[in-house]
Amino acid sequence: MTISTSSTTPRVAIVTGGSGGIGRTAAERLAADGLAVVVSYAGNPAHAEEAVRVIEKAGGTAVAVKADVADEAEVAALFDAAEERFGGVDVVVHAAGIMLLAPLAELDLADFDRMHRINVRGAFVVGQQAARRVRSGGAIVNFSSSVTKIALPNYAAYAATKGAVDAMTLILAKELRGRDVTVNAVAPGPTATPLFLQGKSDAVVEQLTLMSPLERLGTPDDIAEVVSFLAGPARWVNGQVLYANGGVI
């Protein structure tokens, strides 16, 4: 379903972490839905430009913009670029994040601080700009994780950052009362992305696959479908964390 601000002007989406993984798939899906997409990336311009080329080849509209999600000046410039190029911002999908795993007792605090900066501060900084700039009828979609409920060993620090995202999401939805802007989070379960599969043995991957009653890992397309729903037709879904995990919990 495509919702336009007018009969001739497409809606505009910013997707952080849009150059790879679930973020890229979400960017491609939103472009296929008819939105103009700003593919935000942190450090790999080649991947971001490739994402733009794929979207344009499929008939969509996209541009790549570099921004450190934890840097308020760079995020403000990201939103400026979207407004200057496309006239405004209707949807913000905050998919940027990192995952560093270790038992709580063994995790290097430098890794904890790095995850906190990107996953928590980044969500806060992007959320600030989104709250100030998203137009009426728009949507803010954060990325959480089902691991906040599954509580897998080695995920304590990562799950803590996503618990913070959950709290920000639910509170921001209430703070935007009267704006006609929805705020939700998607919480993927085990999903076959390079970020998820990195460092896991075949036995571990099989164990995680069987956690779902559907007996498979999720795919980026599965998650992008939920993002598309929240970004477009789901106007009565607000202040929610949607667990897209195939029934793991």
Side-chain angles (χ1 to χ4, degrees):
M1 176 180 179
T2 300
I3 303 174
S4 297
T5 54
S6 75
S7 60
T8 59
T9 304
R11 299 172 82 220
V12 179
I14 292 175
V15 181
T16 69
S19 63
I22 293 172
R24 173 168 171 175
T25 304
E28 292 175 2
R29 173 60 185 265
L30 292 177
D33 289 344
L35 283 75
V37 178
V38 178
V39 177
S40 173
Y41 68 97
N44 197 320
H47 285 179
E49 293 296 342
E50 180 186 5
V52 169
R53 284 194 297 271
V54 168
I55 288 171
E56 291 179 337
K57 185 176 180 180
T61 301
V63 63
V65 178
K66 182 178 181 179
D68 174 355
V69 295
D71 186 305
E72 59 269 37
E74 292 192 18
V75 172
L78 168 65
F79 278 75
D80 288 343
E83 292 173 347
E84 290 166 7
R85 180 66 178 268
F86 298 119
V89 179
D90 302 287
V91 174
V92 175
V93 177
H94 181 51
I98 61 172
M99 181 171 62
L100 305 172
L101 304 180
L104 187 149
E106 299 173 14
L107 183 73
D108 190 313
L109 288 178
D111 286 342
F112 180 86
D113 290 342
R114 183 180 170 210
M115 265 197 296
H116 190 277
R117 181 182 185 277
I118 295 173
N119 294 2
V120 180
R121 179 184 169 90
F124 197 94
V125 171
V126 171
Q128 277 193 329
Q129 290 297 321
R132 295 167 183 170
R133 305 217 205 181
V134 168
R135 295 185 286 202
S136 177
I140 300 169
V141 182
N142 289 322
F143 263 75
S144 179
S145 171
S146 288
V147 78
T148 59
K149 300 293 186 183
I150 301 171
L152 293 172
N154 300 324
Y155 282 80
Y158 177 72
T161 68
K162 293 305 183 178
V165 171
D166 289 355
M168 284 185 273
T169 298
L170 304 187
I171 292 170
L172 182 57
K174 294 182 178 180
E175 291 179 345
L176 294 186
R177 173 181 292 275
R179 286 275 304 279
D180 190 24
V181 173
T182 61
V183 187
N184 295 288
V186 181
T191 305
T193 66
L195 176 68
F196 175 79
L197 295 173
Q198 183 178 8
K200 293 182 174 67
S201 67
D202 290 343
V204 169
V205 171
E206 182 179 4
Q207 179 184 6
L208 292 168
T209 298
L210 294 176
M211 289 177 67
S212 167
L214 301 177
E215 296 189 340
R216 69 173 177 87
L217 295 177
T219 69
D221 284 333
D222 290 326
I223 311 306
E225 184 173 31
V226 180
V227 172
S228 173
F229 173 65
L230 293 174
R235 300 309 304 164
W236 196 235
V237 180
N238 190 28
Q240 304 298 317
V241 179
L242 270 65
Y243 294 92
N245 58 30
V248 169
I249 57 174

